[in-house]
Amino acid sequence: MRRLTLLLTGLLLVLIAGPVAARTVDGPQATPRIEAELVPMSAWAAPGSTAVVAVRQTIAPGWHTYWRNPGDSGGAPTLTWILPPDVTAGAVVWPLPGRQPLLGLMNYGYSGETFLPVPVQIPLTARPGTSLPLTVEALFLVCSAEMCVPDALTLSLDLPIREGAAPLTPRVGDRIRRILDAAPRPAAITARATLVDGVLTLSATGGPLGGIDPGASYFFPYRSDLIRHPAPQAGERGPDGLSLRLQAADDLIASGLDGPVEGVLATAAGAFEIRAEPGPPLAGAAGAGALPPIDDRPASTGPLVFLQAVVFALVGGLILNLMPCVFPILAMKAAALAASAHDPCEARRDGLAFLAGVLATFLALAGAMLVLRGLGEAVGWGFQLQSPAVIAGLALLMLAVGLNLSGVFQVGAGLQGVGSGPLARLPGGLGAFFTGVLAVVVAAPCTAPFMAFALGAALLMPWAMTLAVFLALGLGLALPYLAVSLSPGLLARLPRPGPWMDRLKHLLAFPMYGAALWLVWVFARQTGGEALGLMFAAGLLLVFGLWLAGLAQSARMAAPTGPRRMSRTALMAGLALSLALGLTVLAATAPRDSGGGGAGSDGPLASAPWSSAAVAEARAAGKPVLVNLTADWCVSCKINERVALSSLRVAAALAETGTVYLVGDWTRRDDAITAELERHGRSGVPLYLYYAPGQAEPRILPQLLTEGVVVEALKGDS
């Protein structure tokens, strides 16, 4: 649909402005965007030989043409030959194309100067001393970042006929020969294609791939409906070849792999045409290390962009303290501050340790994101919460924190350690450090204002700049707590420790229980009924095990019982906790229900699932489109949906304007949504887009929505 839109737009422009007039004389023909010429590789052709002529393209800066598979948009050049009798033209020998990332798309094509060689068979009846008139009607779709224009040129060449071997044509002959030498060609390579869970694994062995380091490698498919072209291609080398993991296109996932996969495999050893038959991965194509990644993303490395990203990250981190994701952690911070309020040295230590925990965790998350993206994974902010295993672990951790605050069991010694859960009550600053760790992990579902630009820009920067932006975000999150802990005047205003702290501790357990329930709900949306049942059993065993642990602790402190009875209780606690861990693993790996966590009409407003094709179809029909990219684990998303996307006014505005409402669900991993987020400079949800009729680009709505903002967007362009 996107390609058809570009073609129709270009044809309309040609109808308005008129195409370049076709000319039938030798020499270059030109439009403002492209100059083309039909040139021979050799000075003449002998009767009965195969001559090579090439369509030379000189493309204006900022414009490009396309390969045989143009990628996500565009169209390949078409050549229609007008030849003398018995003269035949063969297929284009396509040079290896360049990758052309554009607004979240990936196209394959050419810029600058390039040649498209074509073999031409000369008949034996051709008479030496004459020339053969060769004419080709060439249609180039020439595109920039803003528009595409089809340029039609008629190119002609009088090819001399002589006996004997001909020298190369001056100026262009040697360049055409080098292009032919470097062009992808068949080789003795065996290849297999394996489609599993939306990943197309391409394994290739033998021939020129055996025993070499292929370096950064890339697969250019001949068909445009096989893979998601913008997705990185992660690879592995083996003793006999290599394998590439490609993100399958929606059409391929829907239809299945019912035939061979053909295309060009580009490696450091050369480019080769391959035909991968369906089947299991080949032995010897992996196991010797990862291939270096190919990164086509534009780098936002300017000092002003970097400084702006750092400032936005700092402000976003400060605002993140006010987001609902962080409410449970605010409770833990409050209890920790109350416990150390009248010991300035301890407060300073805890504040600095909390900062260290926050910064270390942000660095770990940033590093994991960079490594996974380098390996070809499509991940963004909050990516860890797309894993049911992580959600299950966090739910049980929150439950354990709540039980600790309720006094079911204790970790650490004395009242001075209360208020921050098991890890946060370890001796010294270690507890405050782990409070910071937990704060970052739980804050991941939220994206505060200013964070979207900061994180989106950071993931396009070199790794050192990316880590600096994430550190600024962590500093913003920890700054309020750090400022209070370093301010004796503010600490002195807090009441002294006393019995009230036990009541506060018990009260603060309830936000933890609420967070655990919310995470279990997210887990159910990601998995299904069987996994949810196992999760409930794991939670019950966790409570039982921690209750037994609390009994053992009480008995040990009272010391009236013998060591054997205490050991039996502790052993039973350990057994219950081990069973809880095992059931959690089973729950996280249980088969998913097909309907869980999907997007669609089950939301507050009648909606349809988001896809780029659905957006294009609605826009082609002249309808406005409202896109909501969300996730069940994103608390900000859910609040926006309840506050701003479920009212009668919004429903009436959607009906009145005929707006199509599309919802993209990122609860589970979805590389298409990840690519759409990156296209708009975002690394996480929520993202709200409004496509007005006649507008090329959507309007990005605020991350914190109100009913009025949505209604104004819908009616403002109607």
Side-chain angles (χ1 to χ4, degrees):
M1 179 63 70
R2 193 179 291 119
R3 186 179 308 154
L4 178 61
T5 302
L6 289 170
L7 285 169
L8 292 176
T9 303
L11 288 171
L12 180 61
L13 289 169
V14 169
L15 290 175
I16 296 174
V20 174
R23 301 176 63 186
T24 57
V25 298
D26 292 353
Q29 311 300 309
T31 74
R33 295 157 294 278
I34 185 173
E35 178 184 280
E37 182 180 10
L38 194 60
V39 293
M41 184 176 75
S42 301
W44 64 79
S49 67
T50 299
V52 175
V53 298
V55 176
R56 179 185 64 85
Q57 304 173 63
T58 304
I59 305 163
W63 296 81
H64 57 266
T65 58
Y66 294 94
W67 186 55
R68 56 182 295 176
N69 168 17
D72 287 323
S73 63
T78 60
L79 304 179
T80 303
W81 291 91
I82 302 173
L83 302 172
D86 299 325
V87 177
T88 57
V92 173
V93 180
W94 294 94
L96 190 68
R99 292 177 294 277
Q100 300 167 338
L102 176 66
L103 298 176
L105 308 177
M106 177 64 75
N107 297 327
Y108 302 141
Y110 310 102
S111 57
E113 184 182 59
T114 190
F115 293 81
L116 299 182
V118 177
V120 175
Q121 186 63 43
I122 307 300
L124 283 170
T125 56
R127 290 186 297 123
T130 63
S131 61
L132 293 176
L134 309 179
T135 300
V136 62
E137 294 178 347
L139 177 62
F140 305 98
L141 187 63
V142 191
C143 296
S144 68
E146 291 80 27
M147 62 186 301
C148 288
V149 180
D151 281 326
L153 298 173
T154 300
L155 312 176
S156 295
L157 168 69
D158 288 331
L159 181 64
I161 302 298
R162 297 183 188 178
E163 296 284 0
L168 295 175
T169 302
R171 187 174 61 86
V172 297
D174 186 58
R175 280 185 280 175
I176 298 174
R177 181 182 58 79
R178 289 200 301 269
I179 287 175
L180 288 173
D181 291 342
R185 62 189 66 250
I189 295 175
T190 303
R192 292 289 182 272
T194 311
L195 180 63
V196 178
D197 294 334
V199 176
L200 179 66
T201 300
L202 196 69
S203 53
T205 59
L209 300 179
I212 67 163
D213 183 357
S217 302
Y218 195 90
F219 178 66
F220 295 90
Y222 287 155
R223 286 171 47 187
S224 63
D225 59 350
L226 293 178
I227 67 172
R228 293 175 176 170
H229 303 100
Q233 298 186 4
E236 218 181 330
R237 58 186 175 87
D240 301 321
L242 61 86
S243 59
L244 292 175
R245 293 188 301 277
L246 318 174
Q247 298 299 321
D250 292 340
D251 290 345
L252 181 61
I253 295 174
S255 63
L257 191 60
D258 55 0
V261 174
E262 297 179 300
V264 172
L265 178 63
T267 72
F272 311 101
E273 294 181 337
I274 64 171
R275 177 186 174 94
E277 298 290 344
L282 295 170
L291 296 176
I294 297 176
D295 193 351
D296 296 293
R297 295 172 299 164
S300 300
T301 59
L304 292 179
V305 174
F306 172 65
L307 180 61
Q308 186 181 10
V310 168
V311 173
F312 276 34
L314 182 65
V315 176
L318 286 168
I319 299 176
L320 194 58
N321 284 278
L322 305 177
M323 303 300 286
C325 306
V326 192
F327 284 168
I329 305 306
L330 288 177
M332 298 167 64
K333 291 182 188 178
L337 276 176
S340 60
H342 297 279
D343 187 341
C345 292
E346 184 179 348
R348 283 195 299 272
R349 181 202 65 197
D350 288 352
L352 293 173
F354 177 79
L355 173 64
V358 169
L359 296 183
T361 311
F362 266 111
L363 281 179
L365 279 177
M369 288 177 65
L370 291 176
V371 169
L372 290 173
R373 292 170 74 91
L375 293 175
E377 300 292 330
V379 296
W381 175 249
F383 73 96
Q384 71 276 18
L385 296 175
Q386 295 175 329
S387 166
V390 172
I391 291 292
L394 281 176
L396 295 184
L397 178 60
M398 289 296 177
L399 178 59
V401 171
L403 293 171
N404 176 253
L405 291 172
S406 295
V408 174
F409 74 104
Q410 303 295 329
V411 177
L415 188 62
Q416 296 301 315
V418 302
S420 301
L423 293 175
R425 295 179 55 208
L426 295 172
L430 194 57
F433 179 89
F434 280 108
T435 303
V437 172
L438 195 58
V440 176
V441 173
V442 179
C446 281
T447 302
F450 299 99
M451 277 179 60
F453 167 81
L455 297 183
L459 293 177
L460 301 180
M461 295 178 180
W463 67 268
M465 290 184 175
T466 298
L467 296 181
V469 173
F470 272 82
L471 284 176
L473 180 60
L475 178 61
L477 177 63
L479 199 55
Y481 182 86
L482 180 66
V484 173
S485 68
L486 297 178
S487 303
L490 293 176
L491 290 172
R493 296 177 180 271
L494 295 176
R496 292 189 175 277
W500 67 271
M501 292 184 64
D502 281 327
R503 293 192 295 271
L504 176 63
K505 180 183 68 168
H506 296 157
L507 176 64
L508 293 179
F510 290 95
M512 302 297 109
Y513 296 139
L517 288 174
W518 163 63
L519 288 167
V520 169
W521 174 77
V522 174
F523 180 81
R525 296 277 291 176
Q526 289 179 327
T527 54
E530 179 183 349
L532 181 61
L534 291 170
M535 189 66 190
F536 282 149
L540 178 62
L541 282 171
L542 177 72
V543 174
F544 180 60
L546 293 179
W547 176 73
L548 288 175
L551 289 181
Q553 289 173 336
S554 299
R556 188 163 52 249
M557 292 176 64
T561 56
R564 182 178 178 182
R565 185 172 178 183
M566 290 172 54
S567 298
R568 187 181 302 120
T569 304
L571 181 62
M572 292 176 62
L575 178 61
L577 294 176
S578 298
L579 289 174
L581 177 61
L583 286 177
T584 304
V585 174
L586 290 176
T589 56
R592 295 175 175 177
D593 289 352
S594 59
S601 59
D602 59 340
L605 298 178
S607 64
W610 172 88
S611 69
S612 56
V615 174
E617 181 180 354
R619 298 190 68 200
K623 297 180 179 179
V625 181
L626 177 63
V627 173
N628 172 16
L629 301 184
T630 181
D632 285 335
W633 43 258
C634 172
V635 181
S636 305
C637 303
K638 296 296 139 187
I639 290 177
N640 283 336
E641 288 167 13
R642 296 303 175 191
V643 171
L645 294 174
S646 61
S647 71
L648 294 178
R649 281 189 64 204
V650 173
L654 284 172
E656 179 182 337
T657 58
T659 301
V660 176
Y661 181 42
L662 303 176
V663 177
D665 190 351
W666 210 42
T667 303
R668 300 176 184 174
R669 172 174 166 167
D670 190 312
D671 293 340
I673 294 179
T674 305
E676 183 72 4
L677 291 168
E678 291 179 348
R679 178 185 173 191
H680 298 286
R682 303 297 175 91
S683 65
V685 292
L687 177 63
Y688 306 103
L689 305 172
Y690 175 67
Y691 293 84
Q695 298 295 320
E697 291 298 319
R699 173 184 170 186
I700 299 179
L701 303 185
Q703 288 178 299
L704 297 180
L705 289 180
T706 65
E707 181 186 79
V709 167
V710 179
V711 172
E712 183 274 331
L714 295 175
K715 292 189 174 182
D717 297 287
S718 60

